[in-house]
């Protein structure tokens, strides 16, 4: 990191903002960035750049906070900026390629021509981007940034979680995209690759990687003994991701959709029984775990189950 640190020290601007100012500038830029894309999308009834706008906004905030923040190009801000940039570019390009293949995003069939409903999505995207990038904004703004990245538990675990989460998310995304392109996929659910061990491996990867980013930032906070409110603000990032995917627009909607489509298929119900909702586990292991363990530690909650699984089973026609 020393060579990169010297480069950035010699090429960065003279602007140096503390983390309160960095948060303010980042919030303002996020609003402007998303509203700009919203105006184009609504005026042209065009949703091909919707997710791209969200993904690239992460990159914009990471770079902005790095170059204007009070970080003196230390190794920790540089590492966090690079991690977020890698994830952002990967996700944004993947989502752009996917929507170009699909042609349109069915999520917006009932909202793309309704100003207020469509705007609500973009406001939610603003909140998502700003909240999830809080650890890198805080570190780049001077909170715990001088603690060098090293061989300590928080850094090692954090970087490992990010790397594993990124690989899992990318693998799951690409596997499912390849599956959906296949003619044999019609009327079926994906069980290839990581989808054989988890019903939502992409979400498992995303939650893991943002907890990893938080742990890397946390090491800097601990070493420099920053104020307690910094810890709380930074922790909002992985908590927000987990809550959103577990209880909000992630798993509940997808599980409900799958239950409606395949709820009378005994093969699907068997897949549900032996496949972990999110944490990847071998099917043979998961299927034989106690129900109590599944419901307490592995997120197998009633909110994801078919409304009447017994009725679904009885409705399956005999072979």
């Amino acid at each position: 990191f020393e060579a990169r640190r010297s480069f950035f020290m010699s090429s960065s601007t003279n602007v140096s903002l503390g983390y309160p100012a960095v948060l303010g500038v980042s919030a303002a830029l996020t609003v402007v960035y998303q509203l700009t894309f919203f105006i184009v999308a609504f005026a042209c009834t065009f949703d091909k750049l919707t997710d791209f706008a969200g993904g690239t906004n992460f990159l914009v905030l990471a770079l902005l906070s790095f170059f204007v923040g009070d970080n003196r190009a230390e190794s920790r801000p540089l590492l966090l900026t690079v991690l977020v940039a890698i994830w952002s570019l990967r996700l944004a390009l993947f989502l752009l390629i996917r929507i170009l293949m699909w042609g349109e995003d069915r999520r917006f069939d009932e909202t793309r021509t309704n100003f207020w409903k469509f705007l609500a999505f973009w406001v939610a995207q603003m909140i998502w981007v700003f909240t999830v990038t809080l650890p890198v904004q805080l570190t780049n703004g001077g909170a715990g940034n001088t603690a060098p990245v090293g061989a300590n538990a928080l850094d090692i675990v954090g970087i490992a979680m990010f790397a594993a989460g990124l690989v899992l998310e990318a693998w799951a995304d690409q596997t499912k995209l390849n599956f959906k392109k296949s003619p044999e996929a019609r009327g079926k659910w994906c069980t290839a690759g990581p989808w054989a061990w988890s019903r939502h491996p992409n979400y498992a990867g995303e939650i893991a990687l943002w907890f990893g980013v938080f742990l890397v930032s946390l090491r800097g906070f601990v070493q420099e003994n920053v104020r307690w409110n910094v810890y709380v603000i930074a922790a909002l990032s992985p908590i927000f991701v987990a809550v959103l995917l577990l209880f909000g627009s992630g798993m509940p909607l997808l599980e409900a959709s799958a239950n409606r489509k395949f709820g009378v298929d005994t093969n699907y119900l068997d897949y549900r029984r032996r496949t972990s909702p999110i944490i990847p586990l071998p099917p043979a292991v998961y299927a034989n775990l106690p129900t109590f363990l599944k419901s307490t530690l592995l997120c197998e909650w009633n909110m994801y189950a078919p409304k009447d699984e017994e009725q679904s089973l009885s409705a399956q026609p005999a072979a």
Side-chain angles (χ1 to χ4, degrees), residues 11 39 53 89 99 112-113 126 168 213 215 221 241 245 257 290 293 310:
S11 61
I39 292 171
L89 286 172
I99 192 61
R112 67 170 62 90
T113 57
M126 295 175 198
L168 179 58
V213 168
L215 290 180
F221 303 157
V241 172
L245 297 181
S257 175
L293 185 62
E310 291 185 2

Side-chain angles (χ1 to χ4, degrees), residues 14 27 40 72 108 222 265 285:
N14 293 324
V40 173
R72 298 174 293 283
F108 304 113
V222 171
D265 190 322
V285 172

Side-chain angles (χ1 to χ4, degrees), residues 83-104:
L83 295 183
V84 173
I86 292 172
W87 177 83
S88 171
L89 286 172
R90 201 286 308 176
L91 181 67
L93 290 175
F94 170 79
L95 294 176
L96 179 61
I97 292 171
R98 188 179 69 176
I99 192 61
L100 291 176
M101 289 175 53
W102 288 355
E104 64 178 6

Side-chain angles (χ1 to χ4, degrees), residues 64-269:
L64 171 75
S65 61
F66 181 81
F67 284 109
V68 306
D70 182 18
N71 61 67
R72 298 174 293 283
E74 301 288 350
S75 61
R76 190 166 303 279
L78 179 58
L79 173 63
L80 286 169
T81 301
V82 169
L83 295 183
V84 173
I86 292 172
W87 177 83
S88 171
L89 286 172
R90 201 286 308 176
L91 181 67
L93 290 175
F94 170 79
L95 294 176
L96 179 61
I97 292 171
R98 188 179 69 176
I99 192 61
L100 291 176
M101 289 175 53
W102 288 355
E104 64 178 6
D105 193 331
R106 293 181 179 178
R107 293 177 300 170
F108 304 113
D109 285 348
E110 299 179 2
T111 61
R112 67 170 62 90
T113 57
N114 185 305
F115 180 89
W116 294 110
K117 288 184 178 180
F118 199 38
L119 177 61
F121 169 83
W122 291 85
V123 172
Q125 188 153 268
M126 295 175 198
I127 297 170
W128 171 57
V129 173
F130 179 77
T131 304
V132 176
T133 54
L134 283 171
V136 69
Q137 292 182 57
L138 291 166
T139 302
N140 284 350
N145 59 5
T146 60
V149 177
N152 58 79
L154 286 175
D155 281 344
I156 292 173
V157 174
I159 294 171
M161 286 185 69
F162 177 87
L166 180 67
V167 170
L168 179 58
E169 183 182 40
W171 181 24
D173 283 346
Q174 192 60 48
T175 299
K176 192 164 190 178
L177 183 63
N178 293 340
F179 169 78
K180 288 194 170 184
K181 290 191 296 183
S182 171
E184 293 78 20
R186 187 174 182 85
K188 297 182 180 179
W189 56 96
C190 183
T191 60
W195 298 89
W197 283 31
S198 169
R199 303 203 299 267
H200 303 279
N202 52 336
Y203 290 167
E206 185 161 352
I207 292 172
L209 71 87
W210 284 113
F211 268 99
V213 168
F214 170 68
L215 290 180
V216 174
S217 68
L218 182 62
R219 169 61 183 173
F221 303 157
V222 171
Q223 186 161 328
E224 291 193 6
N225 194 28
V226 300
R227 295 178 59 184
W228 67 269
N229 61 329
V230 173
Y231 293 86
V232 174
I233 295 172
L236 292 175
S237 169
I239 292 173
F240 183 86
V241 172
V243 170
L244 182 68
L245 297 181
L246 292 173
F247 303 102
S249 62
M251 288 175 58
L253 297 182
L254 292 178
E255 289 281 313
S257 175
N259 291 336
R260 286 194 300 270
K261 292 178 182 177
F262 312 117
V264 297
D265 190 322
T266 54
N267 291 323
Y268 169 72
L269 295 174

Side-chain angles (χ1 to χ4, degrees), residues 33-80:
Y33 193 80
Q34 294 300 317
L35 283 180
T36 300
F37 277 98
F38 162 72
I39 292 171
V40 173
F42 181 75
C44 303
T45 59
F46 183 75
D47 50 34
K48 289 184 173 62
L49 294 179
T50 306
D51 288 330
F52 181 79
T56 54
N57 203 158
F58 283 84
L59 175 64
V60 170
L61 291 193
L63 293 177
L64 171 75
S65 61
F66 181 81
F67 284 109
V68 306
D70 182 18
N71 61 67
R72 298 174 293 283
E74 301 288 350
S75 61
R76 190 166 303 279
L78 179 58
L79 173 63
L80 286 169

